[in-house]
Amino acid sequence: MKISLNWLQDYISLSESPEKIASTLTSLGLEVENIEYQSAKYEKIITGKVLSVSDHPNATKLKVCQVEIGKKENKLNIVCGDLNVSAGQKVVVALEGSIIPHNQHDPNGKPFKLVKTNLRGITSEGMLCSEYELDISENKESICILPTDAKVGIKFSSYLNYNDVIFDVALTPNRGDCLSHFGIARELGAKLNKIISLPKNSLKEILSNKKHNLSIELVSKNTSLYLGRIISGVKVSKSPSWLKKRLASIGVRSINNIVDSTNYVMFEIGQPLHAFDFNKIKGKKIIVKDSVKNEKFKTLDGKNHKLNESTIMICDSSQAIGIAGIMGGENSEISNETTTIFLEAAIFSSESIRRSSKFLGINSDASTRFERGLDSSKTKWAIDKAAELISQIAGGKVEEKLFQAGSISTSPNKITLSLNKLFSYLGYKLKVTLIIKYFQALEIKVIKSNSKNIVCQVPKHRNDIIQDVDLIEEIARLHGYENIPSSAKVHYQFNKPQSKQEIISDEIKIYLASIGLNEICTNSFIKKTTGEKLDKNIVKLANPISADLEILKPSLLPTMLGTIHFNQNQGSTNLALFEIGTIYKKSNTYKSGKNISEYTERQQLLITLIGKSEIKKWFQRERNYDLFDVKGIIESLCYKFLFDKCNFISFDKTELTLNNLNINFNSESIGKLGLVHKKYLLDFGIEEEVFYAEIDLEGFVKVAKQCKKQFKPINRFPGIRRDIALITPKSLLYSDLTEIIEKNKDEKLEHHEIFDLYSSKEIGNNLKSIAISLYYQSSERTLTDEEVDKSVHKIIQKFEINKNIIVRRKLD
Amino acid sequence: MSVSIQILKVEIEELKKKAAHQIKEIVFDNVETFRIKFLSRKGEIAILFEKLKEISVSEKPEAGKLLNELRNQITATFEKKLETLNQAKTESDNFVDVSLPGRTQKLGSLHPISQTMMEIEKIFYGMGFNSVVGPEIEDDFHNFTALNFPKNHPARDMQDTFFINEDILLRTHTTSVQIRAMELDKPPMRIIMPGRVYRNEAISSRSYCLFHQVDGVYIDKKVSMADLKGTLVSFAKQFYGSSIKYKIRPSYFPFTEPSLEMDITCFLCKGNGCKICKHSGWLEILGAGMIHPNVYKSVGINKNEWNGFAFGMGIERITLLRMGIDDIRMLYENDVRMLQQLA
Ligand SMILES: [Zn+2]
């Protein structure tokens, strides 16, 4: 909300600097986000006088002017495009380096910085501005001509009397009382210890006899007070310049003298008002009642609305003529022909206005104020002030009768504040006299006070003060938050253990990053069709930002693939990425979806590898990622966090993946890995192979909780290695061979490992050579060659009886 | 036919010269060529030895002696040469071009959001806070009503909400977890609640449809605003550096009363004013306050027995500021070049 310093001065005398005022407001919780100095608007733009005009030697559409700016000898050569420019005219001159508010040649009229330019051979030392360029009117055709008595050589801002300072205050929704200049002045007065005053209303002196009659019927329960006044004989026209200027200073467009008057009073005191054309009110009757569902209504901006039920409507004897607190109707709008107006000031329920404003999608200055709650003690002041203002600037007579329905609610809120609680909250003590002084400054009436309690009565405009803690904030605010001490005392309290999942999740991230993977963080939302390919239990948003972000992702894969594609487009083709994130599904118990137990959220880890694992370097050859890279990462992860091997069980390809392996640990499935199906990749514009591993983090953590780090004594006896080489069909699995070893080994075999694998013409088509080393070791003694040979022989025998396996040679 | 010793002597001298000349030319590659040419069984020295047969008996001993001398001399020179060559070869073999680049490891990285999150968590763990998480798909009660956001109250406009249906929404703050924690556990409690939250705002360089938050709650007996300030100042100094200046000012959150916001001196311009801090010299880093009595009421905690404070901060904002990124969308684009830069 914009607040004008000049305007504030109507209610409080402020000699403090604008910066001081801004920091005072901020310290009160009324955060000033920006200070705008009007005088800065026309920096380096001054008034001037055209001395002479001549034709441009090289252009028929340009004139060359000599312009005086201040002292006689201060002359500028300026090329001008307005051919009507003539000697003697007072003009507005922009000097080199000035910021012109609007660029005439820019479709959006953006501001631009003026530089010295050469126009067809003649250097222009400035520019004669149009009213559009100066942000005064829409006139782009001719340059701005000032009256002949305008002083030459002064700042244009001084010429306009632009000396105001505008504060942009970010108001929190609890402070409806500050949505006006008077409200802000009241806060400043309390903090700066100054007297504030509302200008006297002198309406009484100008009231005239009643000529017109009207009746008000209050049907809606959502309206507590409805006041009205009739002003006859008005002339609708432009507002006087002081009013236009005031409204313009806070960014409000001038409409006509009637609407401007009601707006002015609203920004002054916070009470919204509405003016109807009295002659358009049928039956001379105002009925305030709630709408019925699907009722139709055309607002004064020409838009048709369908209403929901219980929108408060202002109606005459035959139809609705305005949506209360939100916008008037086209059928009762003030026009240039209007001579008699009916002025309305009312208190509508905050909740009701908010509901209607949300439903209709109309957010007006009036509705904002109603939503935040009004001070009903100022409603009469406001309608009288507006009536007086209208009669002053639009002529007309204010008729003496004040129409009223409903009443001002009278039940002031009484709160008892315990001093003990106050001090314990603040962490410091204050003198009771000081507390009472703060309360008085805030117009909070102290009814009773003793050494333990203070009983207060809250003024009407502070509807945000409800409980004792609200009073505590008021005291802290006025005393200054900067005076709260910073306590360093430690409250002793045993720690509960941190959740395992949080810890492991962070450790996995750190581990994967340390082995060269890049962590990514992606959106939770994806396209519906993308999600449906992965899961049928998708969770859909009722109000997505766009159709592309309509559902919550049931897997991390889509956004991962999106990230891969993005990076490929950026020229990064070798990627090792991971993400730990939440996936969202409807649960098995899903019925109406009205309870959060009908949804599941699980933490997932997704790893993908794409492109080259190694690129060609002076010490290495290049190599593409393959399945065993991703498998290896998972094996390492299991060793690191579960301290043992995991098992992999292959399963058939799915719609979306190939070469799948289930990752099992202690016969619990913790995830899967494989190759993402080409078909699915093409949806994301990816042509390369993408290897993936997906781990259910909750499953992984569950397993991890059961695993313990356990030291096994280091074997000090030397081991013996025996290598065997086998030729088998290509289709025979390595796991089939290790199974034979496992079944026929004895306790001396410590471990075994494949160390060579190849196929060649010499070996034969469809065959491969596999070399496996067997490590024998005993924890009790040094083994002999003989006993090892015997043990190896037993395994070799089993290989030999398998007709698919040829034992090529025993390697020592 | 006989060969005079004179001729032999000439031939010996010629061979000597030839060998001496060629031995100079020897490099590692043509060692063998030289050996074959001069010293092998069919080499030039051997050919001269053949001629011994044709030398008269009386001259034979002298000729033999000369030939032997020739052979020994050439052999010796050759071997010496060989030794020098071998020595040179070892030297070149042992030469290491230390200017070659090293075998770097692949540059993995934690996402900037994770980095900030972990750092913040670590500080609060050190102050005795525990981490608690809760669902992102939430109901109205935990996200709003229990936190003293009445239905149809303008405070709800502070947070544009994504809905699944009328009753279920995506949490707009992790403060909802505070309610869940209070329902499950009795005070005293000292917890932080990190997580992802959602706001239905148009995606731009300044805002995204989601972000991450760390909220915190401390409930005990006689917790004061001074304790709150102490905790926040301690956090800010650990996280932003002990030399920062700070200021706290009143603010409004429905679930706290009194409420405050904390600003620190802009660390980009050291408080002199820059574009990022809108020329104020201050950056807003968090919101906090004393937990509102209505919140205790909604979870059945006795407000006269317990009280405490809550605070919350946005991770993205902090991350962008600290890392000098000016577009929030970049955090979710995951350009690996950026991720590796900020590894
Ligand atoms: Zn700054």
Side-chain angles (χ1 to χ4, degrees), chain B residues 266 268-269 271 273-277 281:
Chain B
C266 174
L268 299 161
C269 63
C274 67
K275 210 175 126 192
I276 303 299
C277 60

